[in-house]
């Protein structure tokens, strides 16, 4: 992934992860796997775990500890009402930006 893609992704990864959690609750590794399935192959697990800590601290997700067959319990994250509101705002902002970018792109042709 190029530097430009990495920088753009930094600003949107939180919304992307919350969108994943809006579909299903998941633990960190599952979220990373879903990101990779969507083509975000260069995202490190550590990046996802750090982001999950931030969204948990901000109260955007609920966390349940689920027993694991191997090692300590897993933290399973689910989107809560506050996170759903944040995600709605993210999608509104995304739509606004993508519409403006498409206009600029088409003007340049």
């Amino acid at each position: 992934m190029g530097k430009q893609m990495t920088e753009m992704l930094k600003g949107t990864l939180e919304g992307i992860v919350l969108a994943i959690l809006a579909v299903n609750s998941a633990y960190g590794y599952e979220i990373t796997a879903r990101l990779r399935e969507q083509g975000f192959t260069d995202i490190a697990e550590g990046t996802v775990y750090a982001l999950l800590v931030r969204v948990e601290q901000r109260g955007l997700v609920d966390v349940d500890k689920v027993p694991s067959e191997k090692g300590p319990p897993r933290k399973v994250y689910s989107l809560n009402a506050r996170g759903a509101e944040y995600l709605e705002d993210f999608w509104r902002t995304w739509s606004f930006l993508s519409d403006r970018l498409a206009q600029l792109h088409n003007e340049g042709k």
Side-chain angles (χ1 to χ4, degrees):
M1 193 178 330
K3 183 172 175 56
Q4 187 176 45
M5 174 70 129
T6 301
E7 290 301 315
M8 288 180 150
L9 194 54
K10 281 182 187 177
T12 57
L13 188 57
E14 189 173 275
I16 294 167
V17 168
L18 293 178
I20 288 171
L21 292 175
V23 176
N24 283 322
S25 299
Y27 58 94
Y29 179 78
E30 286 177 314
I31 295 167
T32 303
R34 289 182 193 166
L35 287 166
R36 290 181 177 153
E37 287 169 7
Q38 295 296 319
F40 300 104
T41 54
D42 291 341
I43 293 177
E45 259 183 87
T47 301
V48 173
Y49 284 106
L51 185 146
L52 289 170
V53 168
R54 287 194 306 273
V55 296
E56 180 182 0
Q57 289 173 341
R58 291 174 49 210
L60 302 177
V61 294
D62 292 330
V63 180
D64 291 314
K65 290 192 176 180
V66 177
S68 172
E69 295 174 10
K70 306 173 193 170
R74 290 182 176 156
K75 285 178 129 181
V76 176
Y77 298 86
S78 56
L79 193 66
N80 61 25
R82 186 173 177 181
E85 288 176 22
Y86 180 92
L87 183 58
E88 278 184 42
D89 189 45
F90 171 83
W91 286 127
R92 274 191 300 275
T93 303
W94 180 261
S95 292
F96 173 82
L97 290 172
S98 64
D99 288 348
R100 295 309 146 315
L101 288 170
Q103 285 176 353
L104 287 169
H105 182 72
N106 290 330
E107 287 174 10
K109 288 184 176 182

